[in-house]
């Protein structure tokens, strides 16, 4: 897999849980300059979390983004 090194340096985490690494990384079929990171939801419990943080290292670039999960709802359900 061409994204193995990126998988090893990418994480999604919530407070009080171990960080999860992506199971898959692939280019967006509609925009090849965009990468999509796929995480298995059985590794993260979002039910009590208020936020989640994604971080990745793209040497020399470091990315860290915090998501407010309380705003990511559709019809009362968390939409992730």
């Amino acid at each position: 897999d061409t994204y193995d090194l990126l998988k090893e340096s990418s994480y999604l985490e919530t407070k009080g849980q171990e960080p999860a690494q992506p199971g898959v990384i692939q280019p967006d079929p509609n925009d090849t300059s965009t990468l999509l990171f796929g995480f298995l939801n059985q590794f993260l419990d979002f039910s009590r979390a208020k936020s989640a943080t994604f971080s990745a290292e793209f040497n020399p670039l470091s990315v860290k983004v915090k998501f407010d999960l309380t705003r990511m709802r559709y019809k009362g359900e968390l939409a992730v």
Side-chain angles (χ1 to χ4, degrees), residues 1-2 4 7-8 14-17 26 37-38 46 54 56 59 69 71-72 75-76 80:
D1 188 10
T2 58
D4 282 342
K7 282 183 189 178
E8 292 175 15
T14 60
K15 187 176 181 178
Q17 295 185 53
Q26 66 185 36
F37 292 76
F46 292 119
F54 171 79
N59 280 333
L69 297 177
R71 298 183 61 161
M72 298 176 71
K75 294 186 179 181
V80 293

Side-chain angles (χ1 to χ4, degrees), residues 50-70:
K50 293 182 180 179
S51 65
T53 302
F54 171 79
S55 56
E57 294 284 334
F58 307 85
N59 280 333
L61 181 65
S62 178
V63 175
K64 191 169 190 174
V65 180
K66 187 173 184 177
F67 297 92
D68 181 355
L69 297 177
T70 62

Side-chain angles (χ1 to χ4, degrees), residues 7-28:
K7 282 183 189 178
E8 292 175 15
S9 67
S10 301
Y11 299 93
L12 184 62
E13 57 188 314
T14 60
K15 187 176 181 178
Q17 295 185 53
E18 291 292 318
Q21 291 180 297
V24 65
I25 301 174
Q26 66 185 36
D28 183 337

